Amino acid sequence: MSNFNTDIIEALSQGITIDEIIRQELEDVVNQLLVNELTIFLDYEKHDVIGYNSGNSRNGFYSRHILTKYGEIEVKVPRDRKGEFTQQTIPAYDRRTDSLETTVLQLYSRGVTTSEIADLIEKMYGHAYSKQTISNITKPVEVNVESYHKRTFDKRYVALYCDATMINVRRDTVAKEALHIIVGISEDGHKDILDYRLFPHEAASNYTDMLLDLYDRGVKEVLIIISDGLKGIRDACLEVYPKADHQSCWVHVQRNIAKLVRATDRKEIMNPVKPLYRSTTLKQTLIEYENLKALYGKRYPKVITSLESNESLFSFYKYPLQIRRSLYTTNIVEGLNKQLKRQTKKKEQFPNEDSLERFVCNFVLDYNSRLGSRVHLGFSEVTMELGELFNSRYREE
């Protein structure tokens, strides 16, 4: 049973009505979506140190009240410092939303089963919707899932970001499984969740399968692939796109370094590590790198060994300065995964893989529809340079 169903049972025992439970749930969900939307727009999490130098920041919120079938909800619309953020979660002037069919679709797309929906509708309205009726209503959701996994893509993508997050799924018993996600930034700077796929465990070979599928669906040319330090992932990515660069996420690189040093020495060592990805030129970075090795090679040889064994530390320096900040970490996909995890917290588990598939597809389609028309930071300034990189690297021999 999901946390939502548990909350309903506990609330009913306290004399709270079904409508009030749904109203509170709806208010929480809408406000969380708005917070997530601003996070996606700013491209960094709240309190993330990278955000301090982003040029824009959070700036409180203003309140709106919307009438729903379950009562009035208070919506807190977040603002940014520059006034450039426009939310897409709720229509600008809508004051009412009360479609039962829409409610069914929203519940179903969020992973609630047809049985649970039928039971909830009966308690809310005093009459039953059969499983078949709900199944007919929810067919568009199934079509969305199928269409999403069969869609085709543009030929060129500047960057692909690979990461996975663990989610509880029931298959007779409940266990955490790895939801793999690939996000792409196209040649014109548009960000898109290209694919997601569930595997029992995270493995480099899983990304090979996903990338091969993307290649078959049109993604023929990629400049750089960014990932964490999963063993074998560099080779797995370059097996499909041998002409692409691979970049290790510097957030993960720093985490690995932190594990290899004493807590009292971490600040001292991390300070000279930062210029390795913040310098303006690769030449300056290599000077800083040699200084780091000279300073700490004897005290912490394993730190230096871990850096020297990584072939993908400085690939991002091949690219224009305006977009490097987007290429040396997996923050784009990790931020997305954090939002997804927050959305799944209210479900102890997904009752089956189909339920998870609907939930994630709904999340992905919403993400892509809100961000698909936005040009990612810095990309509009380097269109010509990126075109030249594609042409030189993928010139027909």
Side-chain angles (χ1 to χ4, degrees), residues 35-46 48 50-52 54 56-58 85 161 183 185 191 323 325-327 329-336 339 367 371 374-379:
V35 170
N36 293 346
E37 192 173 352
L38 180 60
T39 296
I40 293 168
F41 174 78
L42 294 175
D43 198 29
Y44 67 88
E45 294 287 329
K46 191 174 183 180
D48 191 335
I50 292 178
Y52 296 153
S54 69
N56 200 356
S57 61
R58 292 162 175 81
F85 171 65
Y161 300 82
V183 176
I185 298 182
K191 186 166 56 177
I323 64 172
R325 193 169 71 89
S326 298
L327 301 180
T329 73
T330 56
N331 283 359
I332 285 176
V333 66
E334 288 218 7
L336 183 152
Q339 295 161 39
Y367 181 98
L371 297 180
R374 295 178 183 172
V375 177
H376 197 62
L377 184 67
F379 278 76

Side-chain angles (χ1 to χ4, degrees), residues 43-217:
D43 198 29
Y44 67 88
E45 294 287 329
K46 191 174 183 180
H47 307 307
D48 191 335
V49 293
I50 292 178
Y52 296 153
N53 299 318
S54 69
N56 200 356
S57 61
R58 292 162 175 81
N59 187 32
F61 59 86
Y62 64 91
S63 295
R64 283 182 56 191
H65 291 82
I66 298 178
L67 298 174
T68 76
K69 186 175 184 66
Y70 315 106
E72 187 175 77
I73 63 172
E74 181 181 7
V75 176
K76 296 181 178 180
V77 183
R79 297 177 294 202
D80 66 310
R81 188 69 60 183
K82 290 186 175 181
E84 297 173 347
F85 171 65
T86 303
Q87 62 85 21
Q88 303 295 321
T89 298
I90 54 175
Y93 303 105
D94 268 15
R95 297 277 300 163
R96 177 179 294 275
T97 173
D98 57 4
S99 168
L100 177 58
E101 285 72 20
T102 299
T103 301
V104 170
L105 283 171
Q106 289 174 343
L107 289 171
Y108 189 68
S109 64
R110 289 177 62 82
V112 182
T113 66
T114 54
S115 297
E116 290 173 333
I117 294 172
D119 183 53
L120 187 58
I121 294 298
E122 184 173 6
K123 289 175 180 177
M124 288 166 57
Y125 293 93
H127 65 272
Y129 262 21
S130 70
K131 291 182 184 179
Q132 185 58 51
T133 299
I134 292 175
S135 179
N136 291 336
I137 294 173
T138 55
K139 279 181 181 178
V141 177
E142 304 294 347
V143 172
N144 283 343
V145 172
E146 184 177 356
S147 299
Y148 175 82
H149 287 297
K150 290 183 177 180
R151 65 190 181 129
T152 57
F153 300 102
D154 294 334
K155 179 181 180 180
R156 291 177 166 180
Y157 277 82
V158 175
L160 301 182
Y161 300 82
C162 302
D163 194 32
T165 188
M166 306 304 292
I167 295 180
N168 283 328
V169 183
R170 174 174 287 279
R171 302 182 193 272
D172 295 332
T173 59
V174 178
K176 289 186 178 296
E177 297 193 13
L179 182 72
H180 295 56
I181 297 178
I182 298 179
V183 176
I185 298 182
S186 62
E187 187 178 12
D188 55 8
H190 293 129
K191 186 166 56 177
D192 186 12
I193 303 176
L194 301 181
D195 200 12
Y196 66 87
R197 199 177 298 183
L198 188 69
F199 294 93
H201 307 284
E202 185 178 12
S205 59
N206 298 338
Y207 291 108
T208 300
D209 293 342
M210 295 176 71
L211 291 170
L212 282 170
D213 185 48
L214 293 181
Y215 187 90
D216 290 340
R217 290 194 277 154

Side-chain angles (χ1 to χ4, degrees), residues 289-318:
Y289 190 27
E290 292 303 318
N291 291 339
L292 179 71
K293 289 192 284 186
L295 282 170
Y296 301 105
K298 290 184 178 180
R299 197 194 318 180
Y300 286 111
K302 288 183 179 179
V303 169
I304 306 306
T305 299
S306 70
L307 291 172
E308 290 181 331
S309 63
N310 192 329
E311 302 176 67
S312 303
L313 290 177
F314 306 123
S315 301
F316 71 98
Y317 276 107
K318 297 179 184 180

